[in-house]
Amino acid sequence: ELIHKIGFTNGSVERRIADAANEPTYLLADVEVVKTYKLYNLNANKLENLFHKLFASAKLDIEMKDRFGKPYKPREWFLVPLEAINDAVDKMKNGTLINYRYDPNTASFVDQ
């Protein structure tokens, strides 16, 4: 309930995660889609980078080996409750996200 991957895809999410158990990006495990968002008129790469910076203090810090034994550090996994992600998306939509920072101790947004 607390570990979430935050990223984007231009295609189908289901197709993107179809082989998750064999991809270090997905921690070599099956994953479940818990929420998707459709946002328009935004640069998806910049938005993803913004959300990664926003939640940087809650980034999952692990190193694992891929299926070939090569070290890999997943970058898009965060210890953030879904409610906080939903809140960030809502703040992005209404233009107020810039006024807040994420506090991992309270798992919520606080004024800048």
Side-chain angles (χ1 to χ4, degrees), residues 6 38 45 51 58 90 100-101 108:
I6 299 174
K38 289 188 180 187
N45 276 333
F51 273 63
D90 289 342
Y100 298 92
R101 67 175 176 77
S108 64

Side-chain angles (χ1 to χ4, degrees), residues 39-107:
L39 302 171
Y40 300 93
N41 300 320
L42 297 168
N43 179 306
N45 276 333
K46 288 182 180 180
L47 181 63
E48 180 181 57
N49 289 336
L50 172 69
F51 273 63
H52 289 184
K53 286 179 185 175
L54 179 68
F55 292 117
S57 60
K59 185 176 177 182
L60 184 64
D61 185 21
I62 62 168
E63 184 173 305
M64 55 187 292
K65 293 185 179 180
D66 68 13
R67 59 191 171 129
F68 304 107
K70 182 179 173 186
Y72 180 78
K73 266 191 117 154
R75 300 175 315 171
E76 299 181 339
W77 290 87
F78 300 86
L79 297 168
V80 177
L82 185 57
E83 296 81 27
I85 298 168
N86 289 334
D87 194 18
V89 170
D90 289 342
K91 286 176 180 5
M92 183 69 199
K93 285 180 182 178
N94 67 27
T96 63
L97 186 59
I98 194 150
N99 300 323
Y100 298 92
R101 67 175 176 77
Y102 181 72
D103 179 1
N105 296 318
T106 62

